[in-house]
Amino acid sequence: MSNQVECKVENGYIIAPKGLKNVVPDVTYISGVDPKGEHTIYRGYTIDDIGANASFYEATWLFHKGELPCDEELKEIKKKIDTYRGQIPEKIFDALKLVPKAHPMYYGAFGVTLLGQYNAPDEWRFDEDFLFEHALRLIAQLPVIFAAGWNLAHHGTIIRPDPNLDHAKDVLRMIIRRMPSDLEARAFESSLVLYMDHGFNASTFTTRVIASTLSDMYSAIAGGIGALKGPLHGGANEKALVMLLEAKKLAEEKGKPLEEYIEEYILEKLAKKEKIMGFGHRVYKIHDPRTDVAAKYIQQLPEGEYWLKVLKKAEEVMWREKKLPANIDFYTAILYYQLGIPIPMFTPVFAMGRIVGWTAHYIEQVLNNKIIRPSEKYVGPVGKKYQPLEARCKK
Ligand code: ACO
């Protein structure tokens, strides 16, 4: 893969490639690809190491404080996140009762701006302790908002958070409306950690752009949620499952095993120039290491062996045809299906992990800030003059 930047300089302006591909707008100490270009690093550790081994609390501390926590620090962050989860103003639940049955990512953006109105002081501040406290509130409360919005719209009731449960187990319980097993809770927790951050991905960059105007953290996170919703970013896990279930149905109708039929299904889509959701990545051109961690949990959950065969076959076909690897969304699509998470909640779950990265990036940006305001190259017409309606629309 060539990392050659196709930038041109014209009249002192750098003309960046479309999509800012290979453009580095700033440095970060939080996460990114190591200098050799081999691994994605979370604060010095590889993404798969932390994804496979760290708890939600440990990884959150790592992102925000730069090191894995020791005993007292771990107790502190666990206590705060578990307590904040139960401290959402009742009026926010009342407001969520008024929203229509819509995509739940809307509930997140709506709920976060409401949270800002309750939690944020009139004068937003930029000291580290203050920002960390608000980050923890957002990390704890966003999942409750998503789950409450979903449950109200689809079941008419809220499932309240239980501060005595671990964050991941409690969040999964609110989403699937039953107590998860320890294995299910750990599989879910691991996926949240895998989703926590990934350099300057689209939603993190959006969050940093908003942070760079010195807006408050709640407004910046609402922007991140909007960017994540798109099918080229977080929305891909939902689309990947819809596609896999469609392939499963067609395979059954044709009386073929899915692990064989998936090849025919993918080839037909490629022939129609359709994208296969859950494949391709701006950074991973050969392999997404997060898929290995997710695969370990898929294997231990119902029909794991069956689904892994299907996923591996799809990967083999996509590599042969397009030289594209599967990304994490292809694997979490099946993992979340196995856990019984409703499909429209897949992207909200991504946000429940990514909010850790968004808040850490918000803080990094505002504490060493320069407003992010690129220039444009205007290529439209010039020299037109305003004409009144009668003159400009004369037949
Ligand atoms: N299926 C089929 N073809 C694809 C796919 C795909 N999933 N992804 C890329 N391609 C093709 C492109 O059409 C392009 O072909 P071309 O050169 O003939 O035009 C070529 O592969 C290169 O891809 P780009 O689009 O240049 O890659 P880019 O880095 O711009 O985009 C992206 C990356 C957005 C992830 C893209 O691969 C995609 O749309 N994938 C599907 C959506 C998806 O899975 N998103 C999740 C991303 S991971 C995440 O958010 C956690």
Side-chain angles (χ1 to χ4, degrees), residues 20 45 54 61 76 86 96 127 140 174 185 190 211 227 249 283 286 311 348 355 377:
L20 299 183
Y45 302 85
W61 187 273
E76 178 193 329
L96 284 169
D127 62 84
M174 288 185 275
S190 169
K249 188 165 163 274
V283 174
I286 295 177
L311 299 184
I355 188 152
K377 179 180 175 180

Side-chain angles (χ1 to χ4, degrees), residues 21 232-233 236 275-282 324 327 329:
K21 198 167 182 167
L232 296 189
H233 190 7
K275 273 197 173 173
I276 310 298
M277 289 301 172
F279 279 88
H281 197 272
R282 184 51 72 80
L324 287 173
N327 60 55
D329 285 347

Side-chain angles (χ1 to χ4, degrees), residues 105-165:
M105 285 299 271
Y106 285 123
Y107 308 148
F110 171 68
V112 158
T113 51
L114 273 180
L115 265 184
Q117 292 166 55
Y118 283 96
N119 287 353
D122 288 346
E123 278 297 310
W124 187 251
R125 300 193 342 241
F126 295 97
D127 62 84
E128 261 181 277
D129 289 347
F130 168 87
L131 295 170
F132 183 51
E133 280 307 306
H134 283 280
L136 291 185
R137 283 171 196 244
L138 273 159
I139 290 164
Q141 296 178 343
L142 179 66
V144 184
I145 287 176
F146 275 129
W150 175 264
N151 281 323
L152 281 166
H154 293 265
H155 305 281
T157 52
I158 293 169
I159 300 202
R160 301 274 167 179
D162 179 352
N164 298 312
L165 291 174

Side-chain angles (χ1 to χ4, degrees), residues 67-84:
E67 298 292 345
L68 284 166
C70 294
D71 246 11
E72 287 309 308
E73 295 161 335
L74 191 57
K75 278 188 200 139
E76 178 193 329
I77 192 165
K78 176 170 165 38
K79 187 163 175 237
K80 282 192 168 162
I81 289 181
D82 293 346
T83 308
Y84 287 149

Side-chain angles (χ1 to χ4, degrees), residues 168-188:
K169 191 174 216 172
D170 196 25
V171 169
L172 182 57
R173 179 188 66 89
M174 288 185 275
I175 298 170
I176 61 176
R177 304 171 64 82
R178 65 171 172 82
M179 185 62 79
S181 68
D182 287 348
L183 171 65
E184 288 173 321
R186 177 57 203 153
F188 180 72

Side-chain angles (χ1 to χ4, degrees), residues 252-267:
E252 280 162 9
E253 282 168 14
K254 290 171 193 278
K256 295 181 180 173
L258 179 58
E259 67 266 32
E260 281 171 28
Y261 174 68
I262 194 74
E263 175 163 11
E264 190 181 324
Y265 178 83
I266 290 176
L267 292 178

